[in-house]
Amino acid sequence: MDMRRIVAVLAEEAEQQIEGQVWELAPGDHALALEAEAGLRKAVGPAEDQEALPEIDRLERLRETLAVLAICLARTHGRLAWFLSGAINALEPILRWRALPAGSGGTFGTVRPSLDEYAEAEDAVRQLQDALARLTAE
């Protein structure tokens, strides 16, 4: 399953829980979800902007999204934490990516992603941005 599909499943489950009143965002979680959404939007912009960047900058921004999610995850519990954890898990392949050539020596198991993989990850982040915006609009 690709990152976009995993994020779509997460977003669908979250929306069902909100609509079914299984999950009601507490004020603190609401603020944290807004913070996460803003951080993701700051890190990864529109596709045309991202595609114009050098690969090393694209990877840096994708890693920033993981940092935003991890920091927000560390500050909450319950359903929002579970949602953020699922988002981090979906984006986990980014942790093994590198933008620089290996040169001599090992790469610690990292790989160079294709341009399609960058685009997939960036699309998944945009899906997360949109999901968080919908969750906080309720």
Side-chain angles (χ1 to χ4, degrees):
M1 196 179 299
D2 74 17
M3 291 181 227
R4 291 175 290 220
R5 182 69 190 131
I6 295 168
V7 169
V9 169
L10 282 172
E12 182 179 329
E13 182 178 351
E15 290 171 11
Q16 288 173 353
Q17 288 186 20
I18 296 282
E19 289 172 10
Q21 298 179 345
V22 172
W23 180 15
E24 185 176 327
L25 280 174
D29 281 348
H30 187 271
L32 194 59
L34 285 171
E35 183 180 323
E37 189 261 341
L40 295 178
R41 284 200 193 278
K42 183 178 176 189
V44 172
E48 56 277 0
D49 293 348
Q50 292 300 123
E51 291 168 3
L53 295 171
E55 288 180 42
I56 197 164
D57 292 336
R58 290 176 81 174
L59 181 54
E60 179 181 311
R61 288 171 179 235
L62 286 167
R63 287 178 179 161
E64 285 178 26
T65 65
L66 288 168
V68 165
L69 293 169
I71 289 168
C72 290
L73 173 61
R75 295 172 37 209
T76 191
H77 301 280
R79 294 188 191 280
L80 181 58
W82 304 338
F83 177 80
L84 295 174
S85 177
I88 291 168
N89 188 58
L91 299 174
E92 182 271 336
I94 295 165
L95 295 173
R96 293 186 309 274
W97 291 357
R98 63 181 164 81
L100 301 175
S104 61
T107 64
F108 302 99
T110 60
V111 297
R112 293 199 63 183
S114 68
L115 293 178
D116 287 342
E117 289 172 311
Y118 278 114
E120 175 191 333
E122 291 160 350
D123 286 345
V125 170
R126 286 186 206 93
Q127 284 179 281
L128 280 170
Q129 295 166 357
D130 293 343
L132 287 163
R134 286 190 303 275
L135 294 176
T136 55
E138 304 290 315

